Amino acid sequence: MIFYRQNLTDAQLLDLYKKILKPRLIEEKMLILIRQGKVSKWFSGIGQEAIAVGVTAVLDESEYVLPMHRNLGVFTTRNIPLHRLFSQWQGKANGFTKGRDRSFHFGTQEYKIIGMISHLGPQLGIADGIALADKLQNNKKVTAVFTGEGATSEGDFHEALNIAAVWKLPVMFIIENNGYGLSTPTNEQYACENLADKGIGYGIDSYIIDGNNILEVYNKLSQLKEQMQENPHPVLLEFKTFRMRGHEEASGTKYVPQELMDEWAAKDPVSNYRDYLTGIGVLTTEFDEQLHAEIKQEIDENLAIANAEPEIIPTYSGELDDVYKPYQYDEVNPSEEIKNVRFIDAIRNSLEQSMLRHNNLVIMGQDIAEYGGAFKITDGFVELFGKGRVRNTPICESAVVSAGMGLSVNGYKAIVEMQFADFVSTGFNPIVNLLAKSHYRWGEKADVVVRMPCGGGTQAGPFHSQTNEAWFTKTPGLKVVYPAFPYDAKGLLNTSINDPNPVLFFEHKQLYRSVYQDVPVDYYTIPLGKAALLKEGNKVTIIAFGAAVHWALETLTNNPEIEADLIDLRTLQPLDIDTIFASVKKTGKVIIYQEDTLFGGIASDISALIMEECFESLDAPVKRVASLDSPIPFTKALEDQFLPKNRFEEVLSDLLKY
């Protein structure tokens, strides 16, 4: 291994040695602790320290780095107190996740580190969003994100590289090619000679770097960072290295040929660098021994602090209160000036006024810029707000959602428009595993609204007609909003944008141009979690949302003798159970009306809640009316049969007769 110091001083050379030695000594201690059963799991980075340390040493402390689960050197180079790391690994309250997640599955804004989730890929899209926020501010910062050679097979890897290339984002994409994805060798993971070659297809500069040579890492990245600051663009960096331990300690390394282990042991990044420094007279044996002693003492002292910390005592409130970031609802009352507008106009008006109100709000989606979106809601927004804040995206929902999270991390608000709600399936992972869980896991908000044009009735077939709210009402950490009227759509969307928690905002596309209402011209808000009682009666409670509200109103208009409470839920998560229970206890009969298919829909949960809490008030079984349990068809006759509109009146009549 050949080292070139270039212009580095003796002090800088020694500083890098201290930085690379510290994680190695901590790892050696951790291997002892795991054998003693004092730590449950450990992902070792022994043999890869030069990458984590070199990358982090190049970045300023104000620049974000997004590591993986064997990048201890990132955390130590950022000088996180060791007792907090030990607390994290032991599941203590003084860690970064309050015992809710393990090892390096956490982030910290204080140290500008954003930790990974086990699904790996979304990490890369987050880096895109962080870098986009920096580019919009023109602050010349660079973001570094780590991944392994295994995760380069995930779609998120390719999506994130493509976005960064198209948007010219200053992101260092760092591949630690350490030979194995758990036990699968690289020749069973990809067919190209080098992973750096993948950058060519995206128009990204790429480089192969000796990941065990701390000076090559530091010097090359210092050069690249300077170039990226002057001319923002991404780079793809493949670091050749090796994993000297198992994927995690329990898995072992029996699947690795011994000659390969011996070959890479001779390339150890710590011992080779130590020999180099000793050979040029920068490091003495005495000083090296002193460093070892000082670091080991620091480890023992901080470990004692963590060991003395009590175990977590769980409470229901402690857990449930952290699922969402606390939000103080900002009530803005509507003005007296009104205008009769369509549902679609109310959505547009909300977006426009919110963009004016929040200069850190960015809208992203397919064809939303000059074209104005599939439904023309953002037509003219580029002229109003510029392409920096109104961004066409490639067709890559997963990375775009993750980029929304990155914008949120770096002080922005994000709106992601799904062209159709059906397409959210390709962005499902970052919504339910990243956005939904970030605040619970480590206290980080996900200030992202995902707009969901949805619903049937337009003969658009199985892939453009779903109303898939139940995919998300199941997931703690998400809020789900589903208005039926223009007035509610504007006020609720304004509130959703203000709320720092992730919101799925459903917009029934058949209502876009068919429903009109008087709506205040100026900005106003409506609180989430409050249903609307549209009609009052004593005989039956009808619970609905979205287009089903209008279908229910039509039924009641055609049958004026039916005395019903009609509840428009408006928000599905949080759910206004107080309004529901009060009505059911008054009427004694209830029917829940949804456009979604019957089995597993939110009507099932509402029915269960009513049975549990209002059983003694019921005079009849709770009834549910929903679409057929099939995919939604294209032809009008089939779609009409699929939708519940033609079945509701009969079920309601039978319920009233019960």
Side-chain angles (χ1 to χ4, degrees):
M1 189 178 297
I2 301 174
F3 293 93
Y4 295 102
R5 67 182 296 169
Q6 296 188 15
N7 296 322
L8 296 177
T9 65
D10 288 356
Q12 288 175 305
L13 293 175
L14 279 176
D15 182 62
L16 286 173
Y17 179 64
K18 295 175 188 176
K19 285 180 166 64
I20 199 174
L21 178 61
K22 191 171 186 176
R24 172 63 61 87
L25 295 181
I26 293 173
E27 288 242 32
E28 291 174 353
K29 185 69 172 183
M30 293 304 296
L31 296 180
I32 295 172
L33 294 176
I34 199 167
R35 286 194 294 270
Q36 294 174 342
K38 295 180 180 179
V39 176
S40 63
K41 208 170 189 70
W42 185 251
F43 297 89
S44 176
I46 287 178
Q48 300 179 205
E49 296 93 342
I51 307 170
V53 170
V55 169
T56 312
V58 166
L59 298 179
D60 298 334
E61 290 185 355
S62 64
E63 293 177 308
Y64 283 94
V65 56
L66 295 86
M68 299 294 278
H69 52 293
R70 61 184 84 260
N71 294 133
L72 173 59
V74 169
F75 299 85
T76 55
T77 303
R78 282 280 163 95
N79 295 313
I80 292 180
L82 295 188
H83 64 88
R84 292 208 65 193
L85 290 176
F86 287 127
S87 292
Q88 170 66 23
W89 302 330
Q90 292 180 12
K92 300 287 185 68
N94 198 39
F96 293 89
T97 65
K98 300 182 182 180
R100 295 167 182 159
D101 212 337
R102 64 189 184 190
S103 65
F104 295 107
H105 290 210
F106 71 92
T108 162
Q109 284 283 11
E110 181 180 359
Y111 296 96
K112 294 294 184 286
I113 296 174
I114 307 301
M116 41 82 74
I117 66 171
S118 292
H119 298 71
L120 306 180
Q123 188 83 331
L124 300 155
I126 298 174
D128 282 348
I130 291 172
L132 174 58
D134 285 332
K135 186 174 181 179
L136 290 173
Q137 297 174 84
N138 194 29
N139 59 20
K140 297 187 180 298
K141 291 182 180 180
V142 170
T143 301
V145 59
F146 287 72
T147 195
E149 84 290 330
T152 64
S153 298
E154 290 191 322
D156 292 77
F157 172 82
H158 303 276
E159 291 186 12
L161 259 64
N162 191 48
I163 288 175
V166 172
W167 290 354
K168 295 181 171 54
L169 300 176
V171 180
M172 292 181 176
F173 291 99
I174 295 158
I175 304 172
E176 293 182 298
N177 190 343
N178 60 21
Y180 287 84
L182 209 155
S183 68
T184 306
T186 53
N187 67 328
E188 295 181 22
Q189 295 187 59
Y190 56 87
C192 56
E193 182 176 355
N194 298 297
L195 289 171
D197 298 340
K198 293 180 181 290
I200 298 171
Y202 299 106
I204 293 178
D205 293 338
S206 56
Y207 305 87
I208 298 173
I209 299 173
D210 183 352
N212 285 29
N213 187 325
I214 183 67
L215 293 190
E216 183 174 337
V217 174
Y218 183 83
N219 288 323
K220 183 61 178 178
L221 266 64
S222 295
Q223 174 192 359
L224 290 174
K225 178 185 172 181
E226 185 175 341
Q227 295 171 2
M228 294 167 72
Q229 287 175 313
E230 292 305 313
N231 176 30
H233 64 278
V235 295
L236 179 63
L237 308 169
E238 181 183 2
F239 292 88
K240 302 287 190 179
T241 185
F242 198 74
R243 194 186 70 214
M244 299 302 294
R245 309 289 301 183
H247 170 71
E248 42 86 25
E249 285 306 302
S251 65
T253 57
K254 289 183 179 179
Y255 48 84
V256 182
Q258 186 58 47
E259 58 269 23
L260 193 57
M261 295 290 290
D262 294 341
E263 176 187 343
W264 281 96
K267 300 177 182 179
D268 181 271
V270 178
S271 60
N272 276 281
Y273 188 49
R274 178 191 301 122
D275 292 344
Y276 166 71
L277 294 181
T278 303
I280 63 173
V282 171
L283 177 67
T284 65
T285 302
E286 293 76 17
F287 187 61
D288 188 28
E289 291 175 351
Q290 178 185 334
L291 282 178
H292 276 71
E294 289 175 354
I295 294 172
K296 288 181 178 180
Q297 181 179 353
E298 181 186 2
I299 292 170
D300 291 339
E301 289 175 351
N302 281 269
L303 185 57
I305 295 172
N307 288 338
E309 188 180 348
E311 298 295 328
I312 289 176
I313 300 175
T315 64
Y316 288 128
S317 61
E319 291 299 282
L320 296 175
D321 289 350
D322 279 351
V323 173
Y324 297 97
K325 180 177 176 60
Y327 167 59
Q328 184 66 44
Y329 167 63
D330 181 17
E331 183 174 6
V332 180
N333 293 317
S335 62
E336 294 183 1
E337 184 182 359
I338 59 173
K339 184 177 181 181
N340 192 258
V341 299
R342 302 168 300 176
F343 191 104
I344 196 169
D345 303 320
I347 295 291
R348 175 191 169 87
N349 197 222
S350 168
L351 293 174
E352 183 175 341
Q353 291 179 357
S354 292
M355 288 287 279
L356 292 168
R357 190 178 182 90
H358 304 286
N359 59 14
N360 64 337
L361 177 59
V362 175
I363 303 178
M364 301 182 290
Q366 295 162 26
D367 304 301
I368 68 163
E370 289 84 356
Y371 186 73
F375 301 98
K376 300 299 182 182
I377 289 178
T378 53
D379 190 21
F381 272 34
V382 170
E383 289 76 13
L384 291 172
F385 305 109
K387 292 206 68 167
R389 295 178 62 200
V390 183
R391 307 189 72 89
N392 281 337
T393 69
I395 301 177
C396 49
E397 286 84 0
S398 186
V400 174
V401 170
S402 299
M405 179 66 192
L407 283 166
S408 175
V409 164
N410 206 3
Y412 276 69
K413 288 177 171 290
I415 296 175
V416 177
E417 177 184 304
M418 294 293 151
Q419 198 165 70
F420 292 88
D422 314 66
F423 299 166
V424 77
S425 56
T426 56
F428 190 74
N429 175 39
I431 291 175
V432 301
N433 287 314
L434 179 62
L435 301 187
K437 295 176 174 61
S438 289
H439 190 267
Y440 172 77
R441 288 172 53 243
W442 60 280
E444 179 61 25
K445 70 183 186 306
D447 202 343
V448 182
V449 174
V450 183
R451 291 184 45 239
M452 302 277 283
C454 65
T458 60
Q459 292 81 62
F463 305 120
H464 297 77
S465 308
Q466 295 175 85
T467 171
N468 44 11
E469 68 279 349
W471 296 0
F472 305 103
T473 51
K474 165 65 182 160
T475 304
L478 299 176
K479 296 187 178 183
V480 181
V481 182
Y482 203 144
F485 295 94
Y487 179 90
D488 293 336
K490 179 177 177 179
L492 290 169
L493 183 53
N494 287 337
T495 302
S496 299
I497 294 167
N498 293 340
D499 194 320
N501 294 286
V503 179
L504 278 295
F505 195 90
F506 285 82
E507 306 165 12
H508 200 292
K509 58 185 187 292
Q510 192 181 42
L511 304 182
Y512 271 158
R513 292 177 170 86
S514 65
V515 176
Y516 288 74
Q517 194 178 28
D518 289 340
V519 176
V521 172
D522 293 334
Y523 182 93
Y524 64 94
T525 58
I526 297 174
L528 305 188
K530 298 293 184 183
L533 186 59
L534 302 183
K535 285 185 174 294
E536 293 191 54
N538 297 315
K539 300 301 183 183
V540 66
T541 297
I542 303 171
I543 301 171
F545 56 93
V549 174
H550 297 275
W551 301 339
L553 283 169
E554 183 180 338
T555 298
L556 293 177
T557 299
N558 294 335
N559 298 272
E561 74 281 2
I562 298 178
E563 301 175 18
D565 269 4
L566 175 57
I567 298 174
D568 175 6
L569 292 176
R570 303 196 297 187
T571 303
L572 308 183
Q573 181 62 266
L575 184 66
D576 187 355
I577 58 175
D578 291 339
T579 296
I580 294 172
F581 292 166
S583 177
V584 172
K585 289 175 181 178
K586 179 182 71 172
T587 66
K589 294 181 178 180
V590 58
I591 185 168
I592 308 164
Y593 197 7
Q594 68 179 28
E595 183 177 341
D596 192 10
T597 52
L598 183 64
F599 189 84
I602 193 172
S604 300
D605 275 292
I606 295 173
S607 175
L609 284 168
I610 292 169
M611 293 293 288
E612 290 173 358
E613 300 297 331
C614 306
F615 180 76
E616 294 179 354
S617 301
L618 290 173
D619 297 323
V622 176
K623 303 300 290 184
R624 297 170 296 148
V625 180
S627 294
L628 297 182
D629 282 322
S630 75
I632 182 168
F634 152 61
T635 301
K636 186 177 188 307
L638 293 176
E639 186 183 49
D640 287 346
Q641 175 183 261
F642 168 85
L643 293 171
K645 188 175 180 182
N646 294 329
R647 295 185 292 275
F648 175 73
E649 187 171 330
E650 180 180 353
V651 178
L652 176 60
S653 177
D654 289 344
L655 177 61
L656 288 168
K657 295 174 185 176
Y658 188 91

